[in-house]
Amino acid sequence: MKTFRVIACAALVLLWTGAALAQDLPDKVQKRYEALKSFQADFDQELTNAATREVEKRTGVMGFQNPGLVRWETLTPEKQLLVVGKESVWDYIESEGQAIHYRSDQAFTSKTMIRFLSGQANLKEDFKVVMQGQDLELNKVKLIPKEPEPGLVLAYLWVDDEGTVKRVFIVDFYGNGNLVALKNFQQGYKHPADAFTFTPPKGVTILDNTKQ
């Protein structure tokens, strides 16, 4: 499902933002991640279908607040809002007049994904890290999951010298690609009180999956 491919990508972004590149990279990443409280950034996204080679381009805004609250708002080519709250997840597709409601434990069946979003991810435990040198004038890093999952079998990061992630590329079990480039990153961003809650607009069809 595209929604959770998006979440996987967001999770990796959360882990790597602000990480310093050095020989003791995993420890530095862990310390930076634990210190990260909140951020907001614009994103450009490309979803590539492995079978057809079709590429869907999206733009939007991503917000994060510790522990594990995510707001992923797609603005083009159509509006879609994904809100990861404390106990539930909402996926609202405006053009379809539909909102899907999940419990958090339903949405995040991936063990690694849960650990990322809850701030418990450990780079040394979860990945083999391979430095790839310079690419696009950035430091390229390859992440190989020690326990591959359907939504994440391989990932690449492009990080600047200050340690800020600029691009993330995730490959799933079927070979589909999810590339996200971040812009206008604002660390310590103060989100509105209702940023990580969602109330369906009147007239919207609600698909309640919370009791399944």
Side-chain angles (χ1 to χ4, degrees), residues 13-14 16-19 36-43 62-64 160 163-166 182-189:
V13 172
L14 304 186
W16 281 86
T17 301
L36 182 64
K37 301 302 181 184
S38 67
F39 74 80
Q40 179 166 293
D42 298 330
F43 68 82
M62 174 190 176
F64 165 76
D160 68 16
T164 302
V165 171
K166 298 296 185 180
L182 293 182
K183 305 179 295 183
N184 304 322
F185 183 86
Q186 301 177 66
Q187 186 168 345
Y189 185 85

Side-chain angles (χ1 to χ4, degrees), residues 7-198:
I7 296 177
C9 195
L12 280 174
V13 172
L14 304 186
L15 174 67
W16 281 86
T17 301
L21 291 171
Q23 289 184 345
D24 56 343
L25 173 64
D27 292 333
K28 286 183 178 290
V29 169
Q30 200 66 36
K31 290 179 181 178
R32 296 278 184 155
Y33 180 45
E34 291 170 358
L36 182 64
K37 301 302 181 184
S38 67
F39 74 80
Q40 179 166 293
D42 298 330
F43 68 82
D44 293 325
Q45 182 179 30
E46 293 184 2
L47 297 171
T48 302
N49 185 299
T52 65
R53 307 312 301 172
E54 293 181 350
V55 178
E56 178 183 346
K57 296 184 178 182
R58 299 181 175 187
T59 64
V61 180
M62 174 190 176
F64 165 76
Q65 183 170 299
N66 210 9
L69 304 179
V70 178
R71 183 182 180 90
W72 187 280
E73 188 171 4
T74 301
L75 301 176
T76 65
E78 62 180 9
K79 291 184 178 181
Q80 182 172 355
L81 177 62
L82 176 69
V83 177
V84 181
K86 292 181 179 180
E87 298 179 354
S88 62
V89 176
W90 284 94
D91 185 16
Y92 173 46
I93 307 170
E94 184 173 318
S95 63
E96 298 179 7
Q98 176 177 286
I100 308 173
H101 190 199
Y102 304 92
R103 297 191 315 271
S104 294
D105 62 342
Q106 289 174 303
F108 308 125
T109 54
S110 155
K111 179 183 69 176
T112 300
M113 196 179 299
I114 292 173
R115 296 180 69 189
F116 277 135
L117 289 170
S118 63
Q120 301 301 311
N122 189 298
L123 194 63
K124 288 181 177 179
E125 292 181 5
D126 296 331
F127 295 98
K128 177 181 178 182
V129 181
V130 182
M131 303 303 295
Q132 300 277 287
Q134 292 283 308
D135 182 41
L136 301 175
E137 300 183 348
L138 296 168
N139 302 288
K140 187 177 181 182
V141 183
K142 182 178 183 179
L143 295 180
I144 304 172
K146 293 182 179 179
E147 296 183 15
E149 301 166 352
L152 175 59
V153 298
L154 185 64
Y156 291 92
L157 308 175
W158 287 260
V159 186
D160 68 16
D161 290 337
E162 283 70 45
T164 302
V165 171
K166 298 296 185 180
R167 296 163 64 89
V168 181
F169 182 66
I170 290 177
V171 181
D172 69 14
F173 175 79
Y174 301 100
N176 300 310
N178 187 351
L179 174 66
V180 169
L182 293 182
K183 305 179 295 183
N184 304 322
F185 183 86
Q186 301 177 66
Q187 186 168 345
Y189 185 85
K190 190 171 182 178
H191 297 281
D194 61 351
F196 304 103
T197 61
F198 177 77

